[in-house]
């Protein structure tokens, strides 16, 4: 039995196979309508979510399976003090696979250690968000036709942004990747990403605070939200929340072949006037998230690809 807790739990070859399956699902959706008949996914969300929870549920329903779960800690027995370890023992009796989001880093790992069903990390605190990363990889591969040889700009909250941490971890395994890390000094990537991932693997990167200067160099711009829920201090949040706003004027500085991704939700960091730009790919990214989660459910449940 396998879990997905970290994007590195799958090898580059396995990710390639998973993205191929997701792409086949995209183009032959009806073929997959019954491959998970009788299977159930439990979505255990201790933190708010729109895309991740609903895309897991949509994915399982599209495969013929069923869904159960909770969408907040308050509506589960966590509110009465039940531990993650005990909860997953129960869920293992009710479902075949589960996706867990939790504000505490490492909670899905604790769940996996006590589970008899596959556990998928659907985001743990400021740590990792591996299924967002698989979505991002599928989006980039579909848009550029490759996952190597590119300059990726990551912009916004690089300190608490789990999508950023997971994406960097995943992309450094491909050749000729260069990063421009654009953030205010207070929201730079954590030390362990800089030292243990980027420097340790000899990856070319620079840290910057000016988005305009970086724009002409980018193949991919990955915008992120400054996350109010991760700040200890409201004053700091208010000071930093609008530090980057991507608008039409900034898009004029970019290549015609650059694409903008965002894990969403957005607040102010991408002006709605950018949505109609053909390079704005963040809503297409949401659709890829369903195909990739369908492929992931099939892979972890060891469901055969239909003919
Ligand atoms: N991208 C993402 O994780 O969105 P949600 O918080 O809505 O799930």
């Amino acid at each position: 039995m396998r879990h997905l807790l970290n994007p590195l739990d799958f090898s580059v070859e396995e990710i390639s196979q998973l993205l191929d399956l997701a792409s086949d699902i995209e183009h032959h959706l009806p073929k997959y309508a019954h491959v998970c008949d009788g299977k159930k996914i439990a979505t255990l969300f201790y933190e708010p979510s729109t895309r991740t929870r609903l895309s897991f549920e949509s994915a399982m329903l599209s495969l013929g399976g069923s869904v159960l779960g909770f969408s907040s800690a308050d509506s589960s027995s966590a509110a009465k003090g039940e531990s993650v370890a005990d909860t997953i023992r129960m869920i293992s009796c009710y479902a075949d696979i589960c996706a867990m989001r939790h504000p505490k880093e490492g909670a899905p790992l604790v769940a996996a250690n006590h589970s008899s069903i596959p556990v998928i990390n659907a985001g743990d605190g400021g740590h990792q968000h591996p299924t967002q990363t698989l979505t991002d990889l599928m989006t980039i591969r579909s848009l550029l036709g490759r996952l190597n040889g590119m300059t990726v700009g990551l912009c916004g909250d690089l300190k608490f942004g789990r999508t950023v941490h997971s994406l960097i971890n995943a992309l450094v395994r491909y050749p000729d990747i260069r990063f421009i890390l654009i953030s205010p000094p207070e929201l730079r990537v954590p030390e362990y990403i800089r030292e243990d991932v980027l420097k340790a693997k000899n990856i070319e990167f620079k840290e910057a605070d000016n988005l305009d200067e970086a724009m002409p160099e980018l193949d991919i711009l990955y915008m992120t939200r400054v996350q109010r829920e991760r700040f200890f201090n409201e004053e700091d949040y208010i000071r930093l929340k609008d530090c980057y706003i991507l608008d039409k004027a900034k898009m004029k500085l970019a290549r015609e072949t650059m694409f903008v991704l965002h894990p969403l939700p957005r607040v102010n960091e991408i002006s709605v006037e950018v949505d109609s730009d053909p390079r704005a790919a963040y809503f297409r990214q949401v659709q890829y998230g369903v195909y990739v989660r369908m492929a992931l459910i099939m892979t972890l449940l060891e469901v055969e690809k239909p003919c």
Side-chain angles (χ1 to χ4, degrees):
M1 186 183 65
R2 291 187 73 175
H3 308 286
L4 178 67
L5 304 174
N6 183 307
L8 303 186
D9 289 344
F10 283 176
S11 68
V12 168
E13 180 57 31
E14 286 172 326
I15 286 183
S16 176
Q17 287 166 3
L18 191 133
L19 298 187
D20 288 347
L21 177 58
S23 185
D24 194 67
I25 291 169
E26 176 189 2
H27 295 106
H28 305 99
L29 195 57
K31 193 171 85 174
Y32 292 85
H34 295 288
V35 295
C36 282
D37 278 356
K39 302 282 188 194
K40 297 190 269 294
I41 187 167
T43 51
L44 315 177
F45 277 62
Y46 295 81
E47 246 193 3
S49 168
T50 297
R51 272 147 298 275
T52 312
R53 185 171 66 85
L54 296 181
S55 63
F56 267 116
E57 296 188 359
S58 173
M60 188 49 130
L61 293 170
S62 296
L63 295 169
S66 311
V67 301
L68 64 158
F70 52 82
S71 57
S72 73
D74 288 348
S75 63
S76 79
S77 284
K80 304 175 199 162
E82 187 165 55
S83 68
V84 164
D86 282 359
T87 301
I88 197 69
R89 286 191 182 97
M90 308 307 120
I91 300 302
S92 296
C93 303
Y94 305 150
D96 302 285
I97 186 167
C98 79
M100 173 182 283
R101 170 169 291 186
H102 202 287
K104 283 200 183 140
E105 301 185 0
L109 172 63
V110 172
N113 288 339
H114 294 86
S115 179
S116 56
I117 59 172
V119 174
I120 300 167
N121 178 1
D124 60 331
H127 188 217
Q128 297 282 348
H129 194 345
T131 63
Q132 181 65 49
T133 298
L134 293 175
T135 302
D136 300 340
L137 295 180
M138 181 173 184
T139 308
I140 295 171
R141 199 178 81 160
S142 301
L143 294 171
L144 297 184
R146 65 182 192 279
L147 285 172
N148 63 307
M150 66 181 111
T151 298
V152 179
L154 297 149
C155 179
D157 176 3
L158 310 188
K159 178 178 181 181
F160 299 113
R162 58 193 174 201
T163 59
V164 167
H165 307 158
S166 283
L167 186 57
I168 292 175
N169 265 296
L171 280 176
V172 297
R173 298 195 291 179
Y174 297 89
D176 196 18
I177 298 285
R178 177 173 172 259
F179 293 103
I180 304 183
L181 306 173
I182 308 144
S183 73
E186 297 91 333
L187 296 179
R188 286 197 178 139
V189 288
E191 187 75 4
Y192 81 90
I193 296 276
R194 193 179 305 109
E195 297 299 323
D196 303 345
V197 181
L198 295 167
K199 287 189 183 169
K201 292 183 171 25
N202 239 351
I203 305 296
E204 188 183 340
F205 76 98
K206 64 180 173 187
E207 296 189 280
D209 56 15
N210 189 313
L211 177 57
D212 288 21
E213 284 175 15
M215 288 298 274
E217 296 186 54
L218 304 179
D219 297 297
I220 294 289
L221 171 60
Y222 194 90
M223 292 296 293
T224 62
R225 173 176 65 98
V226 174
Q227 304 172 87
R228 179 180 226 141
E229 65 272 28
R230 307 274 177 236
F231 276 80
F232 296 113
N233 173 330
E234 182 74 4
E235 274 173 31
D236 285 347
Y237 168 72
I238 289 170
R239 183 168 53 84
L240 294 169
K241 71 184 173 71
D242 293 328
C243 53
Y244 300 104
I245 298 179
L246 183 67
D247 57 14
K248 270 190 172 170
K250 283 191 169 43
M251 288 298 285
K252 284 198 178 126
L253 304 171
R255 298 175 188 163
E256 284 305 308
T257 53
M258 185 204 76
F259 288 101
V260 182
L261 274 63
H262 190 311
L264 304 179
R266 72 164 155 194
V267 186
N268 290 328
E269 63 277 6
I270 301 180
S271 168
V272 291
E273 69 186 17
V274 176
D275 294 356
S276 56
D277 190 303
R279 296 168 292 179
Y282 30 93
F283 293 122
R284 279 175 274 173
Q285 198 178 348
V286 171
Q287 183 65 65
Y288 288 128
V290 180
Y291 303 135
V292 114
R293 290 182 175 98
M294 289 173 76
L296 178 64
I297 291 168
M298 285 181 63
T299 303
L300 293 179
L301 290 178
E302 299 180 358
V303 172
E304 288 286 324
K305 182 179 167 186
C307 307

